[in-house]
Amino acid sequence: METRRITVLSAGLGVPSSSRLLADQLAAAAEHRLADAGFEVTVEIVELRDLAVDIANNFVTGYAAPRLADVIAGVEASDGIIAVSPVFSASYSGLFKSFIDVLDPKSLEGKAVLLGATGGTDRHQMVLEYAMRPLFSYLRTRMAATAVFAGPQDWGNTDDGGSPLSSRIDRAAAEFAALLAGEQSARKPAALESLPFEQLLAGISGGR
């Protein structure tokens, strides 16, 4: 059975947070879709607020502390990313962007991505199209066509006056799962073996 590895990035600051709640629902829906398609799924949830100090220190020192390094390695090894941020000043949060900035810019290339955002009013929902989608387009990811925004009216409601939240989540998860079900080439390749200089020189001399 093929395996698909998903890393879920939640940039919520509260405990609990609406961003984490949305992230959990997106992950559960995607896992269900992939399981139905015959895949084994592993999901890792990352609360970025727990890494805030390590992320800040990484900018100053250029060194990723062990906990942050493990998360970065997990992202690089993933087939897909579910990324959810609260809206701050009409954009993704500084914490969210800071984590993206400590990644190798090429580490997300080709990965399937599902975007989500939360905010206090529906006026913020365009952050998905005008901030988050351009960011992940720049990183050359493959994004699900549907991104999901959740506002206060979505929690505990079955009808928000448009599409119910559960329907939007299911549609986005189906698109994300379809991306993951295809051929995967985005995992970070194994490190090349480093040969001693004398052996490399011998190889060059022998090829003349």
Side-chain angles (χ1 to χ4, degrees):
M1 180 180 292
E2 290 189 60
T3 300
R4 292 293 182 262
R5 178 171 177 173
I6 299 171
T7 297
V8 182
L9 303 175
S10 171
L13 299 181
V15 182
S17 74
S18 56
S19 292
R20 174 60 189 272
L21 183 57
L22 177 59
D24 286 345
Q25 292 188 18
L26 289 170
E31 184 174 5
H32 178 72
R33 286 278 184 169
L34 285 167
D36 283 350
F39 291 92
E40 183 177 344
V41 186
T42 62
V43 177
E44 180 182 7
I45 307 289
V46 178
E47 288 273 16
L48 294 183
R49 62 181 174 77
D50 294 336
L51 299 168
V53 173
D54 289 343
I55 291 170
N57 286 338
N58 188 89
F59 280 109
V60 176
T61 65
Y63 169 75
R67 182 172 58 168
L68 177 59
D70 286 344
V71 170
I72 292 172
V75 169
E76 292 177 344
S78 295
D79 299 298
I81 306 293
I82 296 175
V84 182
S85 174
V87 178
F88 286 178
S89 301
S91 188
Y92 36 68
S93 72
L95 175 61
F96 180 83
K97 181 57 162 60
S98 293
F99 176 76
I100 298 299
D101 285 343
V102 303
L103 299 174
D104 179 339
K106 294 182 179 180
S107 65
L108 297 183
E109 187 171 335
K111 292 191 186 297
V113 172
L114 174 53
L115 300 176
T118 59
T121 169
D122 279 348
R123 289 178 296 176
H124 292 313
Q125 63 183 299
M126 293 307 294
V127 69
L128 290 162
E129 303 303 324
Y130 289 105
M132 295 185 73
R133 197 175 290 278
L135 171 62
F136 284 91
S137 178
Y138 170 77
L139 294 169
R140 301 178 66 84
T141 65
R142 299 177 298 126
M143 288 172 280
T146 300
V148 180
F149 178 86
Q153 76 283 350
D154 288 311
W155 307 115
N157 239 330
T158 58
D159 187 357
D160 60 9
S163 299
L165 178 60
S166 60
S167 297
R168 303 199 304 272
I169 287 173
D170 189 60
R171 177 178 177 178
E175 294 168 356
F176 180 59
L179 292 175
L180 285 170
E183 182 178 350
Q184 301 301 298
S185 59
R187 291 188 185 183
K188 186 177 181 180
L192 296 177
E193 181 182 359
S194 180
L195 299 176
F197 176 74
E198 294 81 2
Q199 190 172 344
L200 290 172
L201 185 60
I204 294 174
S205 300
R208 287 180 178 177

